[in-house]
Amino acid sequence: MNHTIISIKEPQNEPVLSYAPGTPERHRLKKELERIANEQIEVPVIIGGKEYTSGDQGKMIMPHNHHHVLGRYHKANEKLINLAVETAVNAQKDWERLPWMERASINLRAAELINREYRYTLNAATMLNQSKNVHQAEIDAACEVADFLRFNAYYMSIIYREQPHSERDTINRLGYRALEGFVFAVSPFNFTSIAANLPTAPVLMGNAALWKPASSAVLSAYYLMRLFKEAGYPGGVINFIPGPGSKVGKPVLSNYHLAGIHFTGSTAVFQGIWKQIGENIGKYRTYPRIVGETGGKNFIIVHPSADLHEVAAAVVRGGFEYQGQKCSAASRIYIPTSKWNPLKKILEDMISQIKIGDPRDFSNFMNAVIDEPAFDKIMGYIKKAEEDTDTEIIFGGRGDKSTGYFIEPTVLLTTNPHFITMEEEIFGPVVTCYLYDEAEFENTLHLCDETSPYGLTGAIFAHDRRAIQLASDILRHAAGNFYINDKPTGAVVGEQPFGGGRASGTNDKAGSHINLHRWVSPRAIKENLYPPTDFKYPFMN
Ligand code: NAD
């Protein structure tokens, strides 16, 4: 038995490698891209560390070359899902009793494995199957995965240290039990790091999980499972059940042992899940913890005092990186009328330099959107803009899905602040600009606050401190992540805990101790060092 009191040092963020020509990382990644692109992999369902095939298979493709199949994955059926529940519930018994440092060590080892070996595999899988350029893959699949693993281990140690006050004759303790039952982790397609964090955050705190990855991002999810195994997670602690959301979700969400849901994805799906939990509320052993981070309609407010080159770079990076498929992507921009012409010129210059194509060609800044339904949905919004008399297409607007799902970076200008593309999440490379009169700055802040149901991210660009102050006050509920003179994307674990309110989620801040608190059920233990032997109090004499 180890009686040492260990503390984990606050980690450093995983350094972002450049992949510039001539670097060793570029050479290794190119080789891994070639290996994965030329292989046909078969991904099983994984329960209790064992691999299962269901026969019902889905395809993993390259969105930028959708005829190219990277492999197939087996979809979990109801029998396998029930087995996964039983396995998770049994596995948790030992797992939650394991000393916390052992659990932390597995996380820390997984992060080291990324640093040394898995970086290239995770990046290559994310580039090929999710169509990310090398920089977007590196900050996500390598760095943010490692950051979540390391920082969460550190945050766990801080949580366990939080103990109540004790008087001289008592000892009070708070035991941070895992939840009683399994956690259902449901991940989106757009971030390998979120996929890694959704099961591992609850598991780190002693829970066991069922993990359903997004069907369009199974490849990197499978490599994460291989990483988790090599790092030392025992079989049964994370059970991998790919498959269609509603089919997998239904039996899981009505199970007696469901103790928590760790979801990231669209608002509509999350609301559907919440409803199902509500309908089943009498069936569960315990009230399930519901944690969900969902959509956004993220804004940039440009004040007249802003530097327009800074604004343009933020619009291009914030709006078009990863094809606008970030929950935090900038998608509505409020610009003083007097600044529109000079800003438009800078934007035109920047956008004309953007290349779109296969992520294996490193000169491409943008790649494909994830699949055909996404392509059609985004093009549908552009068509609405084309047909609208208040709105014009300033740049881009064209798409081509013959080889890959490519859409040009598109900038719309509208005179209607409530046009559909100012209010709804598009999740594609489409940014809508709205011009306001300088004298209306304060009213425009209120307009921005009230325009959309979301509350995820937003930015103010200004050099006037009063304007910054006013914006951050009026927009206090409009964004869970608020940026001053920076693009509204790119939150870093340990630096900007991430999440939003309103329709954007429960704001449980992934990448912070706040999230980990949701995966424990504390037990207060009081020990009396000198218990009374008489029932009477002095006042009774
Ligand atoms: P999605 O909602 O379509 O899917 C998310 C996951 O839910 C997938 O695994 C899907 O299979 C599953 N699912 C679908 N229906 C289900 C059901 N009935 N029961 C259980 N699971 C079900 O989202 P997506 O297209 O993968 O990702 C894009 C969305 O995610 C965008 O709306 C984006 O804003 C959001 N997102 C939010 C954050 C955040 O932190 N706020 C981060 C990333 C993505």
Side-chain angles (χ1 to χ4, degrees):
M1 186 73 174
N2 185 347
H3 294 298
T4 45
I5 297 173
I6 304 164
S7 61
I8 296 182
K9 227 176 102 203
E10 183 166 359
Q12 302 278 311
N13 288 103
E14 177 70 24
V16 180
L17 303 186
S18 80
Y19 298 88
T23 54
E25 67 264 20
R26 186 171 173 120
H27 180 68
R28 275 188 78 177
L29 179 65
K30 289 247 175 188
K31 276 178 103 172
E32 192 62 352
L33 283 165
E34 205 178 308
R35 181 186 75 79
I36 295 183
N38 290 322
E39 163 179 282
Q40 281 276 318
I41 194 171
E42 190 176 327
V43 172
V45 173
I46 304 172
I47 299 169
K50 287 196 203 126
E51 301 191 351
Y52 294 85
T53 52
S54 66
D56 182 10
Q57 294 185 7
K59 271 196 285 189
M60 300 181 292
I61 56 127
M62 292 184 185
H64 41 274
N65 180 5
H66 45 65
H67 305 296
H68 188 125
V69 177
L70 294 160
R72 289 182 162 73
Y73 67 94
H74 289 264
K75 300 177 188 174
N77 54 31
E78 197 159 343
K79 199 168 146 212
L80 287 173
I81 291 166
N82 290 336
L83 177 66
V85 170
E86 196 188 314
T87 306
V89 170
N90 283 332
Q92 191 197 2
K93 290 176 191 151
D94 276 347
W95 176 244
E96 73 167 324
R97 286 176 172 79
L98 201 64
W100 68 269
M101 193 57 211
E102 308 298 334
R103 287 189 259 124
S105 302
I106 297 173
N107 262 38
L108 298 175
R109 175 170 152 74
E112 271 330 287
L113 287 172
I114 289 173
N115 185 18
R116 285 153 209 263
E117 299 159 35
Y118 272 82
R119 164 175 247 119
Y120 304 100
T121 306
L122 291 174
N123 278 346
T126 302
M127 290 170 74
L128 295 174
N129 189 211
Q130 287 143 269
S131 204
K132 270 194 184 187
N133 73 29
V134 58
H135 175 68
Q136 293 301 315
E138 168 75 3
I139 58 174
D140 167 23
C143 300
E144 198 170 343
V145 177
D147 287 351
F148 272 129
L149 293 165
R150 290 196 183 107
F151 277 87
N152 280 347
Y154 167 67
Y155 294 135
M156 169 169 69
S157 74
I158 292 177
I159 291 175
Y160 287 168
R161 218 180 288 151
E162 276 173 29
Q163 290 297 323
H165 166 75
S166 296
E167 286 297 329
R168 211 180 52 193
D169 56 356
T170 56
I171 300 175
N172 295 318
R173 281 174 279 173
L174 213 45
Y176 291 94
R177 301 172 301 185
L179 307 182
E180 204 176 7
F182 70 91
V183 172
F184 185 30
V186 183
S187 53
F189 78 83
N190 66 336
F191 276 96
T192 303
S193 56
I194 296 175
N197 186 49
L198 293 182
T200 54
V203 160
L204 178 67
M205 304 309 285
N207 298 280
L210 264 58
W211 171 28
K212 198 209 87 59
S215 300
S216 43
V218 176
L219 189 61
S220 58
Y222 173 62
Y223 283 117
L224 283 173
M225 279 304 286
R226 299 226 314 219
L227 165 76
F228 297 154
K229 184 175 175 191
E230 199 173 330
Y233 282 105
V237 162
I238 302 178
N239 300 285
F240 184 67
I241 49 165
S246 53
K247 270 203 172 157
V248 173
K250 209 162 172 230
V252 177
L253 293 169
S254 59
N255 192 286
Y256 170 72
H257 295 287
L258 178 75
I261 164 116
H262 202 191
F263 174 86
T264 299
S266 63
T267 300
V269 169
F270 185 51
Q271 292 188 356
I273 287 174
W274 198 308
K275 268 188 205 144
Q276 286 183 66
I277 292 174
E279 280 158 15
N280 289 312
I281 200 68
K283 288 190 189 162
Y284 307 122
R285 178 177 213 169
T286 184
Y287 293 109
R289 297 276 166 91
I290 306 177
V291 175
E293 299 305 332
T294 64
K297 188 70 203 171
N298 313 296
F299 56 83
I300 293 179
I301 305 270
V302 183
H303 183 260
S305 65
D307 177 312
L308 296 183
H309 284 90
E310 292 172 3
V311 172
V315 171
V316 171
R317 285 188 171 176
F320 303 135
E321 275 183 321
Y322 194 40
Q323 298 74 263
Q325 297 172 117
K326 298 189 184 189
C327 52
S328 53
S331 64
R332 51 188 172 123
I333 323 289
Y334 298 81
I335 303 157
T337 307
S338 58
K339 303 291 175 193
W340 172 239
N341 281 333
L343 179 62
K344 190 171 138 190
K345 249 184 135 147
I346 304 168
L347 280 174
E348 185 174 14
D349 177 46
M350 287 185 184
I351 291 171
S352 66
Q353 296 176 54
I354 292 178
K355 276 184 64 192
I356 312 172
D358 191 317
R360 285 171 293 182
D361 174 352
F362 284 18
S363 66
N364 288 324
F365 176 75
M366 285 173 63
N367 314 106
V369 299
I370 194 71
D371 55 20
E372 190 164 20
F375 178 93
D376 292 344
K377 184 177 158 200
I378 299 161
M379 291 309 294
Y381 279 108
I382 294 174
K383 188 154 187 280
K384 282 199 169 85
E386 252 164 14
E387 289 164 2
D388 187 72
T389 49
D390 297 328
T391 308
E392 60 179 307
I393 297 175
I394 304 294
F395 305 119
R398 284 175 307 183
D400 179 353
K401 61 178 174 181
S402 51
T403 308
Y405 305 112
F406 295 113
I407 299 180
E408 288 179 339
T410 298
V411 176
L412 310 177
L413 179 68
T414 187
T415 53
N416 173 6
H418 293 288
F419 181 58
I420 191 165
T421 65
M422 291 293 284
E423 294 191 340
E424 292 185 7
E425 183 183 53
I426 300 173
F427 222 58
V430 181
V431 158
T432 308
C433 300
Y434 170 76
L435 308 184
Y436 71 89
D437 191 297
E438 277 185 28
E440 292 294 312
F441 178 64
E442 190 167 340
N443 286 336
T444 306
L445 295 176
H446 286 290
L447 174 71
C448 174
D449 183 42
E450 285 149 21
T451 292
S452 151
Y454 296 104
L456 194 51
T457 76
I460 167 80
F461 276 80
H463 285 187
D464 174 338
R465 298 307 307 188
R466 275 175 192 280
I468 293 171
Q469 196 46 47
L470 193 66
S472 96
D473 181 39
I474 292 176
L475 296 168
R476 65 172 53 233
H477 289 292
N481 284 65
F482 187 68
Y483 294 81
I484 300 166
N485 293 323
D486 203 357
K487 65 182 166 52
T489 57
V492 174
V493 175
E495 294 190 26
Q496 297 94 22
F498 192 76
R502 295 185 178 166
S504 292
T506 52
N507 198 17
D508 287 297
K509 296 292 185 216
S512 80
H513 68 282
I514 299 167
N515 179 279
L516 297 188
H517 269 289
R518 300 300 310 272
W519 310 119
V520 290
S521 176
R523 174 171 71 151
I525 302 174
K526 172 188 173 184
E527 179 174 347
N528 195 335
L529 298 174
Y530 197 71
T533 51
D534 186 6
F535 84 97
K536 291 195 201 101
Y537 292 101
F539 76 86
M540 294 160 74
N541 291 333

